[in-house]
Coordinates of all heavy atoms in Angstrom, one line a residue:
A1 N 95.2 -34.1 24.2 CA 95.4 -34.5 25.6 C 95.9 -33.4 26.4 O 95.7 -33.4 27.8 CB 96.4 -35.7 25.6
A2 N 96.5 -32.3 25.8 CA 97.1 -31.3 26.6 C 96.3 -29.9 26.5 O 96.7 -28.9 27.2 CB 98.5 -31.1 26.2
N3 N 95.4 -29.8 25.7 CA 94.9 -28.5 25.3 C 93.3 -28.5 25.3 O 92.7 -29.4 24.7 CB 95.3 -28.0 24.0 CG 96.9 -27.8 24.1 OD1 97.4 -26.8 24.7 ND2 97.7 -28.4 23.2
S4 N 92.7 -27.4 25.8 CA 91.3 -27.2 25.7 C 91.0 -25.7 25.4 O 91.9 -24.8 25.6 CB 90.6 -27.5 27.1 OG 90.8 -28.9 27.3
V5 N 89.8 -25.4 24.9 CA 89.3 -24.1 24.5 C 88.0 -24.0 25.1 O 87.3 -25.0 25.5 CB 89.3 -23.8 23.1 CG1 90.8 -23.7 22.6 CG2 88.5 -24.7 22.3
E6 N 87.4 -22.7 25.1 CA 86.1 -22.5 25.6 C 85.2 -22.0 24.4 O 85.7 -21.2 23.6 CB 86.1 -21.5 26.8 CG 86.7 -22.1 28.0 CD 86.7 -21.1 29.2 OE1 86.4 -19.8 28.9 OE2 86.9 -21.5 30.3
A7 N 83.9 -22.3 24.5 CA 82.9 -21.7 23.6 C 81.8 -21.2 24.5 O 81.4 -21.9 25.6 CB 82.4 -22.6 22.5
V8 N 81.2 -20.0 24.2 CA 80.2 -19.5 25.1 C 79.0 -19.1 24.2 O 79.1 -18.4 23.2 CB 80.7 -18.2 25.8 CG1 79.5 -17.6 26.6 CG2 81.8 -18.6 26.8
F9 N 77.8 -19.5 24.7 CA 76.5 -19.2 24.0 C 75.7 -18.2 24.8 O 75.5 -18.4 26.0 CB 75.7 -20.5 23.7 CG 74.4 -20.2 23.1 CD1 74.2 -19.8 21.8 CD2 73.2 -20.4 23.9 CE1 73.0 -19.5 21.3 CE2 71.9 -20.1 23.4 CZ 71.9 -19.7 22.1
I10 N 75.2 -17.1 24.2 CA 74.5 -16.1 24.8 C 73.2 -15.9 24.2 O 73.1 -15.4 23.1 CB 75.3 -14.7 24.8 CG1 76.8 -14.8 25.3 CG2 74.6 -13.6 25.5 CD1 77.7 -13.6 25.0
P11 N 72.1 -16.4 24.9 CA 70.8 -16.3 24.4 C 70.2 -14.9 24.7 O 70.3 -14.4 25.7 CB 70.1 -17.4 25.1 CG 70.7 -17.5 26.5 CD 72.2 -17.2 26.2
E12 N 69.5 -14.5 23.6 CA 68.8 -13.2 23.8 C 67.4 -13.4 23.0 O 67.2 -14.3 22.4 CB 69.6 -12.0 23.2 CG 70.9 -11.7 23.9 CD 71.7 -10.6 23.3 OE1 71.4 -9.5 23.7 OE2 72.6 -10.9 22.5
A13 N 66.6 -12.4 23.4 CA 65.2 -12.4 22.7 C 65.2 -12.5 21.3 O 64.4 -13.3 20.7 CB 64.4 -11.2 23.2
D14 N 66.1 -11.8 20.6 CA 66.1 -11.7 19.2 C 67.2 -12.5 18.4 O 67.3 -12.4 17.2 CB 66.0 -10.3 18.7 CG 67.3 -9.6 19.1 OD1 68.0 -10.0 20.0 OD2 67.6 -8.5 18.5
R15 N 68.0 -13.1 19.2 CA 69.3 -13.8 18.6 C 69.8 -14.8 19.6 O 69.7 -14.6 20.8 CB 70.3 -12.8 18.1 CG 71.0 -12.1 19.3 CD 71.9 -11.1 18.8 NE 71.2 -9.9 18.3 CZ 71.8 -8.9 17.7 NH1 73.1 -8.9 17.4 NH2 71.0 -7.9 17.2
G16 N 70.7 -15.6 19.1 CA 71.5 -16.5 20.0 C 72.9 -16.4 19.5 O 73.3 -16.8 18.3
T17 N 73.8 -15.9 20.2 CA 75.2 -15.6 19.8 C 76.2 -16.6 20.4 O 76.1 -16.8 21.6 CB 75.6 -14.1 20.2 OG1 74.7 -13.2 19.6 CG2 77.0 -13.9 19.7
L18 N 77.0 -17.1 19.5 CA 78.1 -18.1 20.0 C 79.4 -17.5 19.8 O 79.7 -17.2 18.7 CB 77.9 -19.5 19.2 CG 79.0 -20.5 19.6 CD1 78.8 -21.1 21.0 CD2 78.9 -21.7 18.7
C19 N 80.2 -17.4 20.9 CA 81.6 -17.0 20.8 C 82.5 -18.2 20.8 O 82.4 -19.0 21.7 CB 81.9 -16.1 22.0 SG 81.0 -14.6 22.1
I20 N 83.3 -18.3 19.7 CA 84.1 -19.5 19.6 C 85.6 -19.1 19.4 O 85.9 -18.0 19.1 CB 83.7 -20.4 18.4 CG1 83.8 -19.7 17.1 CG2 82.2 -20.9 18.7 CD1 83.3 -20.7 16.0
S21 N 86.4 -20.0 19.7 CA 87.9 -19.8 19.8 C 88.6 -20.2 18.4 O 88.1 -21.0 17.7 CB 88.5 -20.5 20.9 OG 87.9 -20.2 22.1
S22 N 89.7 -19.6 18.2 CA 90.5 -19.9 17.0 C 91.9 -20.4 17.4 O 92.5 -21.0 16.5 CB 90.6 -18.6 16.1 OG 91.2 -17.6 16.9
Q23 N 92.3 -20.2 18.6 CA 93.6 -20.7 18.9 C 93.6 -21.2 20.5 O 92.6 -20.8 21.2 CB 94.7 -19.5 18.9 CG 94.9 -19.0 17.6 CD 95.9 -17.8 17.6 OE1 95.9 -17.0 18.4 NE2 96.9 -17.9 16.6
V24 N 94.4 -22.0 20.8 CA 94.6 -22.3 22.3 C 95.6 -21.3 22.9 O 96.8 -21.3 22.5 CB 95.2 -23.7 22.4 CG1 95.3 -24.1 24.0 CG2 94.3 -24.7 21.8
G25 N 95.1 -20.5 23.7 CA 95.9 -19.3 24.2 C 96.0 -18.2 23.2 O 95.3 -18.2 22.1
C26 N 96.8 -17.3 23.3 CA 97.0 -16.2 22.5 C 98.4 -15.6 22.7 O 98.8 -15.4 23.8 CB 95.9 -15.2 22.7 SG 95.9 -13.7 21.5
A27 N 99.0 -15.1 21.6 CA 100.4 -14.6 21.6 C 100.3 -13.1 21.7 O 101.5 -12.5 21.9 CB 101.1 -15.0 20.3
L28 N 99.2 -12.4 21.7 CA 99.2 -11.0 21.6 C 99.3 -10.2 23.0 O 99.7 -9.1 23.0 CB 97.9 -10.4 20.9 CG 97.8 -10.9 19.5 CD1 96.7 -10.2 18.8 CD2 99.1 -10.7 18.7
N29 N 99.0 -11.0 24.1 CA 99.3 -10.4 25.4 C 98.7 -9.0 25.7 O 99.4 -8.1 26.3 CB 100.8 -10.4 25.6 CG 101.2 -10.2 27.1 OD1 100.5 -10.7 28.0 ND2 102.3 -9.6 27.5
C30 N 97.5 -8.9 25.4 CA 96.8 -7.7 25.7 C 96.7 -7.6 27.2 O 96.4 -8.6 27.9 CB 95.4 -7.6 25.1 SG 95.4 -7.6 23.3
S31 N 96.9 -6.5 27.8 CA 97.2 -6.4 29.2 C 96.0 -6.7 30.0 O 96.1 -7.0 31.2 CB 97.8 -5.0 29.6 OG 96.9 -4.0 29.3
F32 N 94.7 -6.5 29.5 CA 93.6 -6.6 30.3 C 92.9 -7.9 30.0 O 91.8 -8.3 30.5 CB 92.6 -5.5 30.0 CG 92.3 -5.5 28.5 CD1 91.3 -6.2 27.9 CD2 93.0 -4.6 27.7 CE1 91.2 -6.2 26.5 CE2 92.8 -4.5 26.3 CZ 91.9 -5.3 25.7
C33 N 93.5 -8.9 29.3 CA 92.9 -10.1 28.8 C 93.4 -11.3 29.5 O 94.7 -11.6 29.6 CB 93.2 -10.3 27.3 SG 92.6 -11.8 26.6

């Protein structure tokens, strides 16, 4: 009810790549993220 994540599919001529999530948010606080 309180949390969502994103998944992104990138189609290319020779592959289809899916980026998926492992956590809701992140604790590492990379400055550009």
Side-chain angles (χ1 to χ4, degrees):
N3 294 294
S4 298
V5 296
E6 292 181 346
V8 175
F9 176 68
I10 304 168
E12 297 179 84
D14 60 343
R15 72 186 67 186
T17 301
L18 180 65
C19 298
I20 62 181
S21 299
S22 56
Q23 298 177 315
V24 181
C26 185
L28 297 189
N29 197 30
C30 297
S31 64
F32 55 85
C33 178

